[in-house]
Amino acid sequence: MKVPEPVLAAMRQTNNLFDSEVIKNRKIEQLDLVYTANARILPPGARMIEGRSHIKTFWQQTISDLGLKSATLSTVDAEATGESVIEIGRADLTVGDGQIVTVKYVVHWKKEGDRWKWHVDIWNLNE
Amino acid sequence: MKVPEPVLAAMRQTNNLFDSEVIKNRKIEQLDLVYTANARILPPGARMIEGRSHIKTFWQQTISDLGLKSATLSTVDAEATGESVIEIGRADLTVGDGQIVTVKYVVHWKKEGDRWKWHVDIWNLNE
């Protein structure tokens, strides 16, 4: 089913906040507004990580290791199903040396409180 | 929401068919029973692939390139939402030299006709 425009707008808000606050301003605590409390991430090259506090540790380390400067997220497709949205997206990551790394991802979105957040987040590289 | 047992059983049937027919017996056409017609896969190291016929080409090539001998799939978590199921899983792939490669994945399941099939399929490696 089509995702209603207000939900798409809320998703864009979350995606932009990840870039502007978490990555650019290094405000790791803002991940409270990005991931659900019981979220799980499945990063390439690591085991699945469960729960927001472990996810914060992951991103703190990863931002620092990669010298991550920005993460521009764009939705390729989004489908509403029940109380969830399944998004296929693309992330353009600017890393330490200015190189841009393109990542594709799937996110299972859920509403937590009044915000749409990432509940399951998996990604990989094109190359 | 919890996935009803008959749906979990149907999912196991699809997952087993991928291993027993597609991988072990190299019956690529059996992917008709595994993926929805408009399915998309997001493999690591490649761009997103759309549609069952392109997905067949991908698997034919990949089975041959890796000398893939078996793919044991197990569900780590599954959640029902609307007409869909979101599954987090683990695949143990036996490749040409007998080595086992462990993959983690997220699949968005949909019912097509009387079968539960993979509609979005993304995976990556732990290492």
Side-chain angles (χ1 to χ4, degrees):
Chain A
M1 246 175 359
K2 237 182 130 208
V3 182
E5 183 50 45
V7 176
L8 288 173
M11 290 166 58
R12 279 193 295 273
Q13 188 185 23
T14 301
N15 285 347
N16 290 340
L17 192 137
F18 180 75
D19 181 38
S20 62
E21 293 302 313
V22 179
I23 306 295
K24 289 192 177 127
N25 288 335
R26 310 261 168 137
K27 292 189 174 160
I28 291 292
E29 76 281 3
Q30 293 282 304
L31 287 173
D32 289 338
L33 305 178
V34 174
Y35 285 99
T36 64
N38 300 315
R40 279 169 290 195
I41 64 173
L42 294 88
R47 284 170 181 276
M48 179 168 77
I49 295 165
E50 307 191 52
R52 201 153 58 199
S53 90
H54 293 123
I55 291 172
K56 285 179 183 172
T57 306
F58 168 84
W59 278 115
Q60 188 138 43
Q61 191 68 49
T62 300
I63 291 168
S64 162
D65 287 353
L66 299 179
L68 206 54
K69 286 189 169 64
S70 74
T72 306
L73 308 183
S74 46
T75 300
V76 172
D77 189 52
E79 185 174 330
T81 175
E83 306 288 299
S84 300
V85 172
I86 313 298
E87 179 199 17
I88 298 175
R90 168 195 168 122
D92 293 301
L93 310 176
T94 309
V95 295
D97 57 4
Q99 205 197 331
I100 291 177
V101 177
T102 297
V103 161
K104 57 193 182 304
Y105 65 80
V106 172
V107 168
H108 174 195
W109 290 78
K110 278 194 177 181
K111 200 171 183 183
E112 187 183 63
D114 60 351
R115 290 204 176 243
W116 280 88
K117 299 186 184 179
W118 306 349
H119 187 59
V120 178
D121 179 17
I122 180 170
W123 66 94
N124 64 36
L125 299 171
N126 289 349
E127 282 162 27
Chain B
M1 245 180 353
K2 236 181 132 211
V3 182
E5 182 50 45
V7 176
L8 288 173
M11 290 166 59
R12 279 193 296 272
Q13 189 183 24
T14 302
N15 286 346
N16 290 340
L17 193 137
F18 180 75
D19 181 38
S20 62
E21 293 302 313
V22 179
I23 305 296
K24 289 192 177 126
N25 289 336
R26 310 262 166 134
K27 292 189 176 160
I28 291 292
E29 75 282 3
Q30 293 282 305
L31 287 172
D32 288 339
L33 305 178
V34 174
Y35 285 99
T36 64
N38 300 315
R40 278 168 290 195
I41 64 173
L42 295 88
R47 283 168 182 276
M48 180 167 75
I49 294 164
E50 306 193 50
R52 202 152 59 198
S53 90
H54 292 124
I55 291 172
K56 285 180 183 172
T57 306
F58 169 84
W59 278 114
Q60 188 139 43
Q61 190 68 50
T62 300
I63 291 168
S64 162
D65 286 353
L66 299 178
L68 206 53
K69 285 189 170 63
S70 74
T72 306
L73 308 182
S74 46
T75 299
V76 171
D77 189 51
E79 186 174 330
T81 176
E83 306 288 298
S84 299
V85 172
I86 313 298
E87 180 199 15
I88 298 175
R90 168 196 167 122
D92 293 301
L93 310 177
T94 309
V95 293
D97 57 3
Q99 204 197 332
I100 292 176
V101 176
T102 297
V103 161
K104 57 192 182 305
Y105 66 80
V106 172
V107 168
H108 173 195
W109 290 77
K110 279 195 177 180
K111 199 171 184 182
E112 187 183 64
D114 61 350
R115 292 207 175 239
W116 281 88
K117 299 186 184 177
W118 306 347
H119 187 59
V120 178
D121 180 18
I122 179 171
W123 66 94
N124 64 36
L125 298 171
N126 289 348
E127 281 161 29

